[in-house]
Amino acid sequence: MQALLILQSAVLVVVVILVAGLLKSHAEILRKLHDLGLGETDITPSETSATELRVAAGIAEPRLDPNPAADITGMKADGSAAVVGIVGADHPTLLAFLSTSCSSCHRFWEAFADPNLKLPHPDLRLVIVTKGPEAESESEVRRLGPPGVATVMSSDAYEAYGVPVSPFFVMVDGPTGRTIGEGASATWGQLQSLLRQAVADATSASKRSGRPASNRAKGRERSRDADEVLIAAGIEPGDPALFGRPDK
Amino acid sequence: MKLEARGISVDVPAGWDANIYQRPDPFARLELRRLEQVSAEETRHVVAHIATFPLPEGRGDYGGGAVELMGPDDALIVIFEYHPDSTATALFSSDQLPWPLHPNDFDPNQMQRPLPGQGGVQRFFQAGGRAFCLYVAIGGMSNRTTVIPIVNEILETVNIVA
């Protein structure tokens, strides 16, 4: 058992190094894009050093020691208060830190709004995080927020995850609470290729650890089955019978 | 992690989702509204959802669209506010918080939408001059003895003020 744990830890370290290397190359691409005037920065030139990696101001620099993952508390664009569970959840979470004002982010807002959006793993949960209402436009977040995707406004989350720039992505393995990848990307396509590898590696590590897979997929199947039964009974989505008063 | 909004607060365990929101009360006192005896704001209700699983967007107030996603170890807690006038009715007469819950309280037939293996419970009460229904759904009746103590731990942290 101890040998298994050591092996798992070694594999995770290798995965982190591989992902960091890939993100570094993508950061270079982003740097060039940023030179063309794309992207949004939260970093002033004085915060960067000429001796650091050749990454332009505002472009996320890969970190081998990411901030610890944490659950997110914030506000939704409808004004409600929300907590998004990440650490301890039985699924991985992809946090997409986006802004409504940066041009690079708009590609992701659009990509995430695609009804045919495919995430690289059925259990992977996508959560969009913007800064809080003191720094973001609620109406714009409401307008851009893709239906069906959790979107939370939280400057605290930006701080907790040490987000240097938008867009920025962090992937967290729920059961272990470990950040298994983070960095910037210019397009959803680029990010997908990184995610596929990271998720596959994380899933393999999970299987090796003997951790049970999420049973939520069964829930989705059950949902589909229930819908089929209801439709067969003539009860379509929006049918008044589905919205009866609970106290009757 | 404490979540607090609109007079309701709850400690949310790590990895759980929660959402406290407000929407127009579909069962509002329409007659009073028509007579302009109450404002639109007064005919809005607060809903709190606390779940072991990712809460889907666009779900119903009583968890429609969410309970279908529950696995056998999952639970959904709903605290649903009714119009304050409801506190005068027999249904909401209890001013005792309706927890802790007992595994035997749960029944598949108490689900808003019965689903195989799942169970639920509803309790009506008033607190802080406000009328509420507590609705808890669990993904697996066979796991209720392990899931419900966790639910009770969370319910113990719920605080409601006027």
Side-chain angles (χ1 to χ4, degrees):
Chain A
M1 186 62 186
Q2 196 173 9
L4 198 60
L5 284 173
I6 292 168
L7 180 63
Q8 183 187 343
S9 302
V11 169
L12 277 173
V13 168
V14 170
V15 167
V16 168
I17 292 170
L18 279 175
V19 171
L22 286 167
L23 289 176
K24 184 177 172 183
S25 69
H26 283 271
E28 181 65 19
I29 294 169
L30 276 179
R31 184 185 67 79
K32 289 176 180 169
L33 284 172
H34 196 271
D35 288 342
L36 297 173
L38 302 175
E40 179 201 59
T41 176
D42 292 327
I43 298 176
T44 60
S46 62
E47 289 177 286
T48 59
S49 161
T51 59
E52 291 175 346
L53 287 173
R54 291 183 297 108
V55 177
I59 295 300
E61 180 183 321
R63 296 177 297 192
L64 289 177
D65 188 20
N67 285 16
D71 289 355
I72 291 177
T73 301
M75 195 186 94
K76 294 197 162 190
D78 62 4
S80 68
V83 171
V84 176
I86 295 166
V87 177
D90 68 353
H91 55 82
T93 302
L94 172 63
L95 297 169
F97 292 90
L98 302 181
S99 156
T100 61
S101 57
C102 81
S103 54
S104 300
C105 296
H106 277 269
R107 296 185 199 129
F108 290 98
W109 286 109
E110 288 168 10
F112 296 154
D114 182 351
N116 297 316
L117 175 72
K118 294 277 186 222
L119 295 173
H121 191 278
D123 281 341
L124 181 62
R125 182 189 194 188
L126 170 64
V127 177
I128 297 175
V129 186
T130 71
K131 287 192 174 175
E134 74 285 356
E136 259 294 0
S137 161
E138 284 179 57
S139 60
E140 276 297 281
V141 173
R142 197 160 43 241
R143 185 179 70 81
L144 292 171
V149 178
T151 304
V152 187
M153 306 178 71
S154 173
S155 297
D156 288 345
Y158 266 71
E159 190 174 330
Y161 282 88
V163 177
V165 62
S166 299
F168 192 79
F169 302 89
V170 178
M171 194 158 78
V172 180
D173 180 44
T176 62
R178 297 178 66 159
T179 298
I180 54 177
E182 66 166 21
S185 176
T187 67
W188 172 234
Q190 288 177 353
L191 184 63
Q192 267 183 312
S193 63
L194 293 173
L195 289 173
R196 278 194 203 98
Q197 183 179 350
V199 169
D201 290 341
T203 305
S204 300
S206 170
K207 282 179 181 167
R208 281 193 300 276
S209 72
R211 200 174 70 213
S214 168
N215 51 38
R216 207 138 289 131
K218 293 177 185 171
R220 292 195 190 97
E221 288 166 15
R222 182 164 55 189
S223 177
R224 277 197 298 274
D225 293 345
D227 287 341
E228 284 173 10
V229 170
L230 286 167
I231 289 168
I235 300 175
E236 301 282 344
D239 191 298
L242 297 171
F243 303 99
R245 288 187 60 157
D247 55 346
K248 275 188 175 175
Chain B
M1 187 168 275
K2 183 177 280 293
L3 184 66
E4 186 168 12
R6 298 175 172 84
I8 299 177
S9 67
V10 59
D11 289 347
V12 183
W16 287 50
D17 264 29
N19 189 201
I20 299 177
Y21 60 93
Q22 189 173 31
R23 67 175 51 160
D25 188 343
F27 316 128
R29 301 287 298 272
L30 295 178
E31 182 66 11
L32 289 175
R33 286 280 312 274
R34 195 168 61 78
L35 297 172
E36 297 183 347
Q37 291 182 10
V38 295
S39 68
E41 187 61 27
E42 286 174 303
T43 56
R44 297 172 74 86
H45 62 215
V46 175
V47 185
H49 287 168
I50 307 113
T52 53
F53 57 97
L55 287 168
E57 304 300 303
R59 65 194 178 275
D61 289 342
Y62 273 89
V67 292
E68 296 87 345
L69 304 177
M70 289 198 300
D73 299 324
D74 286 325
L76 169 69
I77 300 170
V78 177
I79 299 172
F80 182 103
E81 183 175 21
Y82 283 78
H83 191 276
D85 284 0
S86 301
T87 55
T89 66
L91 185 64
F92 295 92
S93 60
S94 173
D95 58 3
Q96 300 293 311
L97 296 176
W99 50 79
L101 299 169
H102 190 277
N104 290 341
D105 295 337
F106 284 73
D107 187 330
N109 294 323
Q110 292 225 22
M111 294 291 292
Q112 291 289 321
R113 174 184 171 186
L115 289 167
Q118 297 191 359
V121 63
Q122 282 190 78
R123 294 285 185 268
F124 297 88
F125 65 102
Q126 58 178 279
R130 302 164 69 180
F132 289 97
C133 173
L134 168 71
Y135 172 59
V136 179
I138 55 173
M141 282 292 284
S142 57
N143 293 333
R144 62 186 186 276
T145 52
T146 54
V147 173
I148 293 164
I150 300 167
V151 168
N152 282 329
E153 282 180 23
I154 296 157
L155 288 173
E156 288 298 333
T157 71
V158 171
N159 189 36
I160 298 172
V161 296

Short mmCIF file of all heavy atoms in Angstrom, two decimals, chain A residues 189-245:
data_model
loop_
_atom_site.label_atom_id
_atom_site.label_comp_id
_atom_site.label_asym_id
_atom_site.label_seq_id
_atom_site.Cartn_x
_atom_site.Cartn_y
_atom_site.Cartn_z
N GLY A 189 -9.45 25.50 -27.78
CA GLY A 189 -8.81 24.35 -28.40
C GLY A 189 -7.48 24.02 -27.76
O GLY A 189 -7.18 22.86 -27.47
N GLN A 190 -6.69 25.06 -27.52
CA GLN A 190 -5.40 24.84 -26.86
C GLN A 190 -5.59 24.28 -25.46
O GLN A 190 -4.92 23.34 -25.03
CB GLN A 190 -4.64 26.16 -26.75
CG GLN A 190 -4.09 26.66 -28.08
CD GLN A 190 -3.40 28.01 -27.89
OE1 GLN A 190 -3.47 28.60 -26.82
NE2 GLN A 190 -2.77 28.50 -28.94
N LEU A 191 -6.53 24.88 -24.77
CA LEU A 191 -6.76 24.47 -23.39
C LEU A 191 -7.25 23.02 -23.34
O LEU A 191 -6.84 22.25 -22.46
CB LEU A 191 -7.80 25.40 -22.75
CG LEU A 191 -8.08 25.16 -21.28
CD1 LEU A 191 -6.83 25.41 -20.45
CD2 LEU A 191 -9.21 26.07 -20.80
N GLN A 192 -8.10 22.67 -24.30
CA GLN A 192 -8.63 21.31 -24.32
C GLN A 192 -7.52 20.27 -24.39
O GLN A 192 -7.57 19.25 -23.71
CB GLN A 192 -9.55 21.13 -25.53
CG GLN A 192 -11.01 21.41 -25.24
CD GLN A 192 -11.84 21.13 -26.46
OE1 GLN A 192 -11.52 21.57 -27.57
NE2 GLN A 192 -12.94 20.42 -26.28
N SER A 193 -6.53 20.54 -25.23
CA SER A 193 -5.46 19.54 -25.39
C SER A 193 -4.68 19.37 -24.09
O SER A 193 -4.28 18.27 -23.73
CB SER A 193 -4.53 19.94 -26.53
OG SER A 193 -3.89 21.16 -26.23
N LEU A 194 -4.51 20.49 -23.36
CA LEU A 194 -3.84 20.39 -22.06
C LEU A 194 -4.70 19.64 -21.06
O LEU A 194 -4.21 18.81 -20.28
CB LEU A 194 -3.54 21.79 -21.53
CG LEU A 194 -2.53 22.62 -22.31
CD1 LEU A 194 -2.49 24.03 -21.76
CD2 LEU A 194 -1.16 21.99 -22.22
N LEU A 195 -5.98 19.94 -21.11
CA LEU A 195 -6.88 19.34 -20.13
C LEU A 195 -6.99 17.83 -20.31
O LEU A 195 -7.04 17.08 -19.35
CB LEU A 195 -8.28 19.96 -20.25
CG LEU A 195 -8.41 21.40 -19.78
CD1 LEU A 195 -9.79 21.93 -20.13
CD2 LEU A 195 -8.20 21.47 -18.28
N ARG A 196 -7.06 17.42 -21.57
CA ARG A 196 -7.21 15.99 -21.83
C ARG A 196 -6.10 15.20 -21.16
O ARG A 196 -6.34 14.20 -20.51
CB ARG A 196 -7.19 15.74 -23.34
CG ARG A 196 -8.54 15.97 -23.99
CD ARG A 196 -8.60 15.39 -25.40
NE ARG A 196 -9.62 16.08 -26.16
CZ ARG A 196 -9.39 17.07 -27.01
NH1 ARG A 196 -8.16 17.49 -27.20
NH2 ARG A 196 -10.38 17.65 -27.65
N GLN A 197 -4.90 15.71 -21.29
CA GLN A 197 -3.77 15.00 -20.71
C GLN A 197 -3.83 15.03 -19.18
O GLN A 197 -3.65 14.01 -18.52
CB GLN A 197 -2.46 15.63 -21.18
CG GLN A 197 -1.25 14.88 -20.65
CD GLN A 197 0.04 15.50 -21.15
OE1 GLN A 197 0.03 16.36 -22.01
NE2 GLN A 197 1.13 15.04 -20.60
N ALA A 198 -4.11 16.22 -18.66
CA ALA A 198 -4.13 16.35 -17.20
C ALA A 198 -5.23 15.48 -16.59
O ALA A 198 -5.02 14.81 -15.58
CB ALA A 198 -4.32 17.81 -16.82
N VAL A 199 -6.42 15.51 -17.23
CA VAL A 199 -7.54 14.73 -16.69
C VAL A 199 -7.25 13.24 -16.81
O VAL A 199 -7.51 12.46 -15.89
CB VAL A 199 -8.85 15.09 -17.43
CG1 VAL A 199 -9.95 14.10 -17.06
CG2 VAL A 199 -9.28 16.50 -17.07
N ALA A 200 -6.68 12.85 -17.95
CA ALA A 200 -6.37 11.44 -18.13
C ALA A 200 -5.38 10.97 -17.07
O ALA A 200 -5.54 9.90 -16.48
CB ALA A 200 -5.80 11.21 -19.52
N ASP A 201 -4.38 11.78 -16.82
CA ASP A 201 -3.39 11.41 -15.81
C ASP A 201 -4.01 11.37 -14.42
O ASP A 201 -3.74 10.46 -13.64
CB ASP A 201 -2.23 12.41 -15.82
CG ASP A 201 -1.40 12.27 -17.09
OD1 ASP A 201 -1.50 11.21 -17.73
OD2 ASP A 201 -0.69 13.22 -17.44
N ALA A 202 -4.85 12.37 -14.14
CA ALA A 202 -5.48 12.41 -12.82
C ALA A 202 -6.41 11.21 -12.64
O ALA A 202 -6.47 10.61 -11.58
CB ALA A 202 -6.27 13.71 -12.66
N THR A 203 -7.13 10.86 -13.72
CA THR A 203 -8.04 9.73 -13.64
C THR A 203 -7.28 8.44 -13.42
O THR A 203 -7.68 7.59 -12.64
CB THR A 203 -8.87 9.64 -14.94
OG1 THR A 203 -9.51 10.89 -15.15
CG2 THR A 203 -9.92 8.55 -14.84
N SER A 204 -6.14 8.33 -14.12
CA SER A 204 -5.32 7.12 -13.94
C SER A 204 -4.83 7.02 -12.51
O SER A 204 -4.87 5.96 -11.89
CB SER A 204 -4.12 7.16 -14.89
OG SER A 204 -4.58 7.22 -16.22
N ALA A 205 -4.39 8.16 -11.97
CA ALA A 205 -3.91 8.16 -10.58
C ALA A 205 -5.03 7.79 -9.63
O ALA A 205 -4.83 7.06 -8.67
CB ALA A 205 -3.36 9.55 -10.25
N SER A 206 -6.23 8.30 -9.95
CA SER A 206 -7.39 8.00 -9.10
C SER A 206 -7.68 6.51 -9.10
O SER A 206 -7.93 5.90 -8.07
CB SER A 206 -8.60 8.78 -9.61
OG SER A 206 -9.76 8.35 -8.97
N LYS A 207 -7.60 5.91 -10.32
CA LYS A 207 -7.89 4.48 -10.41
C LYS A 207 -6.85 3.68 -9.64
O LYS A 207 -7.16 2.72 -8.96
CB LYS A 207 -7.90 4.04 -11.88
CG LYS A 207 -9.19 4.42 -12.59
CD LYS A 207 -9.15 4.00 -14.03
CE LYS A 207 -10.43 4.41 -14.75
NZ LYS A 207 -10.29 4.29 -16.21
N ARG A 208 -5.59 4.11 -9.76
CA ARG A 208 -4.54 3.39 -9.05
C ARG A 208 -4.71 3.46 -7.55
O ARG A 208 -4.37 2.57 -6.82
CB ARG A 208 -3.17 3.94 -9.44
CG ARG A 208 -2.69 3.43 -10.79
CD ARG A 208 -1.22 3.77 -10.96
NE ARG A 208 -0.98 5.18 -10.91
CZ ARG A 208 -1.09 6.00 -11.94
NH1 ARG A 208 -1.48 5.53 -13.10
NH2 ARG A 208 -0.85 7.28 -11.83
N SER A 209 -5.27 4.60 -7.10
CA SER A 209 -5.44 4.76 -5.65
C SER A 209 -6.62 3.97 -5.12
O SER A 209 -6.83 3.91 -3.92
CB SER A 209 -5.63 6.25 -5.32
OG SER A 209 -6.92 6.67 -5.73
N GLY A 210 -7.41 3.42 -6.04
CA GLY A 210 -8.57 2.65 -5.62
C GLY A 210 -9.74 3.50 -5.23
O GLY A 210 -10.73 3.02 -4.68
N ARG A 211 -9.67 4.80 -5.50
CA ARG A 211 -10.76 5.70 -5.15
C ARG A 211 -11.95 5.41 -6.05
O ARG A 211 -11.80 5.29 -7.26
CB ARG A 211 -10.30 7.14 -5.34
CG ARG A 211 -11.10 8.16 -4.59
CD ARG A 211 -10.46 9.51 -4.75
NE ARG A 211 -10.59 10.01 -6.09
CZ ARG A 211 -9.69 10.77 -6.69
NH1 ARG A 211 -8.58 11.07 -6.09
NH2 ARG A 211 -9.87 11.20 -7.91
N PRO A 212 -13.14 5.27 -5.50
CA PRO A 212 -14.29 4.97 -6.36
C PRO A 212 -14.59 6.13 -7.31
O PRO A 212 -14.44 7.28 -6.94
CB PRO A 212 -15.45 4.78 -5.36
CG PRO A 212 -15.01 5.49 -4.12
CD PRO A 212 -13.52 5.41 -4.10
N ALA A 213 -14.97 5.78 -8.51
CA ALA A 213 -15.36 6.81 -9.47
C ALA A 213 -16.67 7.44 -9.04
O ALA A 213 -17.43 6.87 -8.27
CB ALA A 213 -15.51 6.19 -10.84
N SER A 214 -16.93 8.64 -9.54
CA SER A 214 -18.16 9.32 -9.19
C SER A 214 -19.36 8.51 -9.64
O SER A 214 -19.36 7.89 -10.69
CB SER A 214 -18.18 10.69 -9.88
OG SER A 214 -19.47 11.24 -9.77
N ASN A 215 -20.38 8.51 -8.80
CA ASN A 215 -21.60 7.83 -9.20
C ASN A 215 -22.57 8.78 -9.85
O ASN A 215 -23.71 8.46 -10.10
CB ASN A 215 -22.26 7.15 -7.98
CG ASN A 215 -22.40 8.13 -6.84
OD1 ASN A 215 -22.70 9.29 -7.08
ND2 ASN A 215 -22.19 7.66 -5.63
N ARG A 216 -22.08 10.02 -10.09
CA ARG A 216 -22.99 11.03 -10.63
C ARG A 216 -23.41 10.71 -12.06
O ARG A 216 -24.48 11.08 -12.50
CB ARG A 216 -22.33 12.40 -10.55
CG ARG A 216 -23.31 13.49 -10.46
CD ARG A 216 -22.89 14.52 -9.46
NE ARG A 216 -23.00 14.06 -8.11
CZ ARG A 216 -22.03 14.18 -7.22
NH1 ARG A 216 -20.91 14.73 -7.52
NH2 ARG A 216 -22.21 13.74 -5.99
N ALA A 217 -22.54 10.02 -12.79
CA ALA A 217 -22.90 9.65 -14.16
C ALA A 217 -24.17 8.81 -14.14
O ALA A 217 -25.03 8.93 -15.00
CB ALA A 217 -21.76 8.90 -14.82
N LYS A 218 -24.29 7.97 -13.10
CA LYS A 218 -25.51 7.18 -12.99
C LYS A 218 -26.71 8.08 -12.79
O LYS A 218 -27.80 7.80 -13.27
CB LYS A 218 -25.39 6.19 -11.82
CG LYS A 218 -24.35 5.11 -12.05
CD LYS A 218 -24.25 4.22 -10.82
CE LYS A 218 -23.12 3.21 -11.01
NZ LYS A 218 -22.86 2.49 -9.77
N GLY A 219 -26.49 9.16 -12.07
CA GLY A 219 -27.59 10.11 -11.86
C GLY A 219 -28.05 10.72 -13.16
O GLY A 219 -29.24 10.89 -13.40
N ARG A 220 -27.10 11.03 -14.02
CA ARG A 220 -27.46 11.60 -15.32
C ARG A 220 -28.25 10.59 -16.15
O ARG A 220 -29.22 10.94 -16.80
CB ARG A 220 -26.20 12.03 -16.06
CG ARG A 220 -25.49 13.19 -15.41
CD ARG A 220 -24.48 13.79 -16.36
NE ARG A 220 -23.66 14.74 -15.64
CZ ARG A 220 -22.46 14.46 -15.14
NH1 ARG A 220 -21.95 13.26 -15.31
NH2 ARG A 220 -21.77 15.37 -14.50
N GLU A 221 -27.81 9.34 -16.09
CA GLU A 221 -28.54 8.30 -16.82
C GLU A 221 -29.97 8.19 -16.28
O GLU A 221 -30.94 8.06 -17.01
CB GLU A 221 -27.84 6.95 -16.68
CG GLU A 221 -26.55 6.87 -17.48
CD GLU A 221 -25.71 5.67 -17.08
OE1 GLU A 221 -26.24 4.77 -16.40
OE2 GLU A 221 -24.52 5.66 -17.43
N ARG A 222 -30.07 8.28 -14.94
CA ARG A 222 -31.38 8.17 -14.33
C ARG A 222 -32.26 9.34 -14.75
O ARG A 222 -33.44 9.19 -15.00
CB ARG A 222 -31.22 8.15 -12.80
CG ARG A 222 -32.52 7.99 -12.08
CD ARG A 222 -32.30 7.59 -10.66
NE ARG A 222 -31.44 8.51 -9.96
CZ ARG A 222 -30.95 8.29 -8.74
NH1 ARG A 222 -31.23 7.18 -8.13
NH2 ARG A 222 -30.19 9.17 -8.15
N SER A 223 -31.64 10.53 -14.86
CA SER A 223 -32.38 11.69 -15.30
C SER A 223 -32.93 11.49 -16.70
O SER A 223 -34.08 11.78 -16.99
CB SER A 223 -31.47 12.92 -15.25
OG SER A 223 -32.15 14.05 -15.74
N ARG A 224 -32.08 10.95 -17.56
CA ARG A 224 -32.53 10.71 -18.93
C ARG A 224 -33.66 9.70 -18.94
O ARG A 224 -34.67 9.86 -19.64
CB ARG A 224 -31.35 10.20 -19.77
CG ARG A 224 -30.45 11.30 -20.31
CD ARG A 224 -29.59 10.77 -21.43
NE ARG A 224 -28.70 9.71 -20.99
CZ ARG A 224 -27.50 9.94 -20.45
NH1 ARG A 224 -27.06 11.15 -20.29
NH2 ARG A 224 -26.74 8.93 -20.07
N ASP A 225 -33.51 8.63 -18.13
CA ASP A 225 -34.56 7.62 -18.08
C ASP A 225 -35.88 8.21 -17.60
O ASP A 225 -36.94 7.93 -18.15
CB ASP A 225 -34.14 6.47 -17.14
CG ASP A 225 -32.96 5.70 -17.70
OD1 ASP A 225 -32.67 5.85 -18.90
OD2 ASP A 225 -32.34 4.95 -16.93
N ALA A 226 -35.78 9.05 -16.55
CA ALA A 226 -37.00 9.66 -16.01
C ALA A 226 -37.66 10.55 -17.05
O ALA A 226 -38.89 10.55 -17.21
CB ALA A 226 -36.67 10.47 -14.76
N ASP A 227 -36.84 11.30 -17.78
CA ASP A 227 -37.41 12.15 -18.82
C ASP A 227 -38.11 11.33 -19.89
O ASP A 227 -39.18 11.69 -20.37
CB ASP A 227 -36.30 13.00 -19.46
CG ASP A 227 -35.83 14.11 -18.54
OD1 ASP A 227 -36.58 14.44 -17.59
OD2 ASP A 227 -34.73 14.64 -18.75
N GLU A 228 -37.49 10.21 -20.25
CA GLU A 228 -38.11 9.37 -21.27
C GLU A 228 -39.46 8.84 -20.81
O GLU A 228 -40.43 8.81 -21.56
CB GLU A 228 -37.18 8.19 -21.61
CG GLU A 228 -36.00 8.60 -22.49
CD GLU A 228 -35.01 7.45 -22.64
OE1 GLU A 228 -35.32 6.32 -22.25
OE2 GLU A 228 -33.91 7.73 -23.17
N VAL A 229 -39.52 8.44 -19.53
CA VAL A 229 -40.78 7.92 -18.99
C VAL A 229 -41.85 9.01 -18.98
O VAL A 229 -43.00 8.79 -19.36
CB VAL A 229 -40.56 7.37 -17.57
CG1 VAL A 229 -41.89 7.06 -16.90
CG2 VAL A 229 -39.68 6.13 -17.62
N LEU A 230 -41.44 10.23 -18.56
CA LEU A 230 -42.39 11.33 -18.50
C LEU A 230 -42.90 11.69 -19.90
O LEU A 230 -44.10 11.91 -20.10
CB LEU A 230 -41.75 12.55 -17.85
CG LEU A 230 -41.56 12.45 -16.33
CD1 LEU A 230 -40.63 13.56 -15.84
CD2 LEU A 230 -42.89 12.52 -15.62
N ILE A 231 -41.98 11.74 -20.85
CA ILE A 231 -42.38 12.08 -22.21
C ILE A 231 -43.30 11.01 -22.77
O ILE A 231 -44.30 11.30 -23.43
CB ILE A 231 -41.12 12.27 -23.10
CG1 ILE A 231 -40.41 13.57 -22.68
CG2 ILE A 231 -41.49 12.32 -24.57
CD1 ILE A 231 -39.02 13.74 -23.27
N ALA A 232 -42.99 9.75 -22.47
CA ALA A 232 -43.85 8.65 -22.93
C ALA A 232 -45.25 8.77 -22.34
O ALA A 232 -46.24 8.35 -22.94
CB ALA A 232 -43.23 7.31 -22.55
N ALA A 233 -45.32 9.35 -21.13
CA ALA A 233 -46.62 9.54 -20.47
C ALA A 233 -47.30 10.83 -20.92
O ALA A 233 -48.35 11.20 -20.38
CB ALA A 233 -46.44 9.54 -18.96
N GLY A 234 -46.68 11.51 -21.85
CA GLY A 234 -47.29 12.73 -22.38
C GLY A 234 -46.96 13.98 -21.60
O GLY A 234 -47.57 15.03 -21.79
N ILE A 235 -46.01 13.88 -20.68
CA ILE A 235 -45.62 15.05 -19.88
C ILE A 235 -44.33 15.61 -20.45
O ILE A 235 -43.25 15.03 -20.28
CB ILE A 235 -45.46 14.68 -18.39
CG1 ILE A 235 -46.77 14.13 -17.86
CG2 ILE A 235 -44.99 15.88 -17.58
CD1 ILE A 235 -46.69 13.61 -16.44
N GLU A 236 -44.46 16.70 -21.16
CA GLU A 236 -43.31 17.33 -21.82
C GLU A 236 -42.68 18.35 -20.88
O GLU A 236 -43.29 18.77 -19.89
CB GLU A 236 -43.78 18.04 -23.10
CG GLU A 236 -44.45 17.13 -24.11
CD GLU A 236 -43.44 16.30 -24.90
OE1 GLU A 236 -42.25 16.68 -24.87
OE2 GLU A 236 -43.85 15.30 -25.52
N PRO A 237 -41.45 18.77 -21.20
CA PRO A 237 -40.85 19.85 -20.39
C PRO A 237 -41.75 21.08 -20.37
O PRO A 237 -42.30 21.48 -21.40
CB PRO A 237 -39.54 20.15 -21.14
CG PRO A 237 -39.21 18.87 -21.82
CD PRO A 237 -40.53 18.26 -22.21
N GLY A 238 -41.93 21.64 -19.18
CA GLY A 238 -42.80 22.81 -19.04
C GLY A 238 -44.24 22.47 -18.76
O GLY A 238 -45.07 23.35 -18.55
N ASP A 239 -44.56 21.17 -18.73
CA ASP A 239 -45.93 20.76 -18.45
C ASP A 239 -46.34 21.27 -17.06
O ASP A 239 -45.58 21.14 -16.10
CB ASP A 239 -46.03 19.23 -18.51
CG ASP A 239 -47.47 18.76 -18.48
OD1 ASP A 239 -48.18 19.02 -17.49
OD2 ASP A 239 -47.88 18.13 -19.47
N PRO A 240 -47.56 21.85 -16.95
CA PRO A 240 -47.99 22.37 -15.64
C PRO A 240 -47.97 21.31 -14.54
O PRO A 240 -47.79 21.63 -13.37
CB PRO A 240 -49.41 22.87 -15.90
CG PRO A 240 -49.47 23.10 -17.38
CD PRO A 240 -48.52 22.12 -18.01
N ALA A 241 -48.14 20.06 -14.93
CA ALA A 241 -48.16 19.00 -13.91
C ALA A 241 -46.83 18.90 -13.17
O ALA A 241 -46.77 18.37 -12.07
CB ALA A 241 -48.47 17.66 -14.59
N LEU A 242 -45.78 19.41 -13.78
CA LEU A 242 -44.46 19.35 -13.13
C LEU A 242 -44.27 20.47 -12.11
O LEU A 242 -43.29 20.49 -11.38
CB LEU A 242 -43.35 19.45 -14.18
CG LEU A 242 -43.30 18.32 -15.20
CD1 LEU A 242 -42.31 18.67 -16.31
CD2 LEU A 242 -42.91 17.02 -14.54
N PHE A 243 -45.19 21.41 -12.10
CA PHE A 243 -44.98 22.58 -11.25
C PHE A 243 -46.16 22.81 -10.31
O PHE A 243 -46.55 23.94 -10.06
CB PHE A 243 -44.77 23.83 -12.13
CG PHE A 243 -43.61 23.68 -13.07
CD1 PHE A 243 -43.81 23.34 -14.40
CD2 PHE A 243 -42.31 23.82 -12.61
CE1 PHE A 243 -42.74 23.18 -15.26
CE2 PHE A 243 -41.24 23.66 -13.47
CZ PHE A 243 -41.46 23.33 -14.80
N GLY A 244 -46.73 21.72 -9.82
CA GLY A 244 -47.85 21.86 -8.91
C GLY A 244 -47.43 22.48 -7.60
O GLY A 244 -46.26 22.39 -7.21
N ARG A 245 -48.38 23.10 -6.92
CA ARG A 245 -48.06 23.70 -5.62
C ARG A 245 -47.63 22.63 -4.66
O ARG A 245 -48.27 21.60 -4.52
CB ARG A 245 -49.28 24.45 -5.06
CG ARG A 245 -49.57 25.73 -5.81
CD ARG A 245 -50.67 26.49 -5.11
NE ARG A 245 -50.28 26.81 -3.74
CZ ARG A 245 -50.81 27.79 -3.04
NH1 ARG A 245 -51.72 28.56 -3.59
NH2 ARG A 245 -50.43 28.02 -1.82
#
